[in-house]
Amino acid sequence: MNSERLVTHVLFFVICATAVLCLKKDQYFCELSSSCMCMTANDNNNIDLTGVNLTLTIADNQTLNYQPCVSEIAIVNGTSNSSIQIANYTHTYVKISDMVTFIYTNDYDLHEFDVILVCDSLAVSGNESLANFKNVTANLCTVELSTNKVCGLNLNNAYDNNSESESWTYFFSFVLVVAFVYFVGGSVVNACLFNEIGINMIPHHEFWSSLYDKIKDKLCGTSTMATAYESI
């Protein structure tokens, strides 16, 4: 009977642990195939900026031109019709954390231009837009690109956002969920399948009781030591 109960609880624990792991989405990952295309391994959820050709007025008589599939990002001066190149595609990167960012730098990585992709389900191909241009530092500019290409992606757990602190958070969250399911679910199993009541409903309560007694003896001493202390 005890062996059957142990097997039942082991199987129950394995099922719960598997369920928790399956609930965690696959982490999103893509690699640049060109300056405007980031492709996934299964060719699903690719981020394709082909055809994007956008402008944004950033100051009086100054317009930002952004075409990710051509050779440069430029600020055009409307009065003189001159352009200032603020990034080229000698180096192009994609950063995936809680957002997707296309990063463009020059030959010496002295100047950087970040295009932050923001989810907008209505911004399908041809309806994308630029907003929130910022000259963060003398060498760094950012702008937001509204697009539907990043909607629905699992970016919160993206591949380069797994810091050590977040890894510990996921670990402890997993342990807490499994422990909760183990004790609550195990109690239900004991009550329904084995007609246990009271403390006997707790799965493997004999083990947990003995573990508690051992820890208490280690921390507080044995009953002999307690008796000796009381006699002083």
Side-chain angles (χ1 to χ4, degrees):
M1 184 69 174
N2 289 334
S3 61
E4 292 179 357
R5 182 177 298 182
L6 179 61
V7 170
T8 300
H9 285 303
V10 169
L11 289 175
F12 182 76
F13 180 84
V14 170
I15 292 172
C16 293
T18 303
V20 171
L21 289 176
C22 290
L23 287 174
K24 182 178 174 61
K25 286 184 177 180
D26 291 336
Q27 298 171 349
Y28 181 77
F29 175 81
C30 68
E31 290 183 335
L32 283 178
S33 60
S34 68
S35 61
C36 55
M37 170 77 78
C38 195
M39 301 188 66
T40 59
N42 58 3
D43 203 29
N44 188 28
N45 291 325
N46 294 334
I47 299 176
D48 184 4
L49 301 183
T50 302
V52 171
N53 182 1
L54 299 172
T55 60
L56 175 67
T57 300
I58 60 177
D60 291 339
N61 298 318
Q62 286 191 340
T63 302
L64 170 69
N65 291 343
Y66 176 54
Q67 299 180 62
C69 289
V70 298
S71 60
E72 67 179 21
I73 300 172
I75 293 178
V76 176
N77 190 318
T79 56
S80 63
N81 201 27
S82 62
S83 64
I84 303 173
Q85 181 175 314
I86 56 176
N88 59 35
Y89 297 141
T90 304
H91 302 291
T92 307
Y93 312 95
V94 62
K95 178 182 178 183
I96 306 176
S97 54
D98 56 345
M99 62 185 69
V100 177
T101 304
F102 277 67
I103 301 173
Y104 308 104
T105 61
N106 60 11
D107 290 330
Y108 304 100
D109 290 340
L110 297 178
H111 299 278
E112 179 179 321
F113 188 91
D114 295 354
V115 179
I116 303 168
L117 274 58
V118 178
C119 171
D120 183 349
S121 59
L122 299 179
V124 296
S125 296
N127 290 325
E128 299 93 343
S129 61
L130 294 176
N132 298 326
F133 173 82
K134 294 180 182 179
N135 199 348
V136 180
T137 66
N139 299 321
L140 173 62
C141 296
T142 65
V143 71
E144 294 181 359
L145 170 63
S146 296
T147 175
N148 71 334
K149 302 295 185 182
V150 293
C151 295
L153 302 182
N154 183 33
L155 298 178
N156 289 333
N157 300 319
Y159 73 96
D160 66 345
N161 195 37
N162 288 329
S163 64
E164 184 176 352
S165 60
E166 289 176 334
S167 298
W168 281 110
T169 299
Y170 295 137
F171 171 76
F172 284 117
S173 298
F174 172 78
V175 170
L176 289 175
V177 171
V178 171
F180 176 80
V181 175
Y182 168 74
F183 283 107
V184 175
S187 298
V188 173
V189 169
N190 279 336
C192 296
L193 297 184
F194 304 111
N195 298 318
E196 299 286 7
I197 59 174
I199 194 173
N200 292 329
M201 293 173 57
I202 300 176
H204 310 109
H205 71 277
E206 299 92 347
F207 168 77
W208 298 114
S209 297
S210 64
L211 181 63
Y212 169 77
D213 292 336
K214 289 178 182 178
I215 294 175
K216 185 176 71 173
D217 290 341
K218 291 291 184 181
L219 297 177
C220 304
T222 62
S223 58
T224 303
M225 293 177 61
T227 302
Y229 175 79
E230 291 175 355
S231 64
I232 296 176

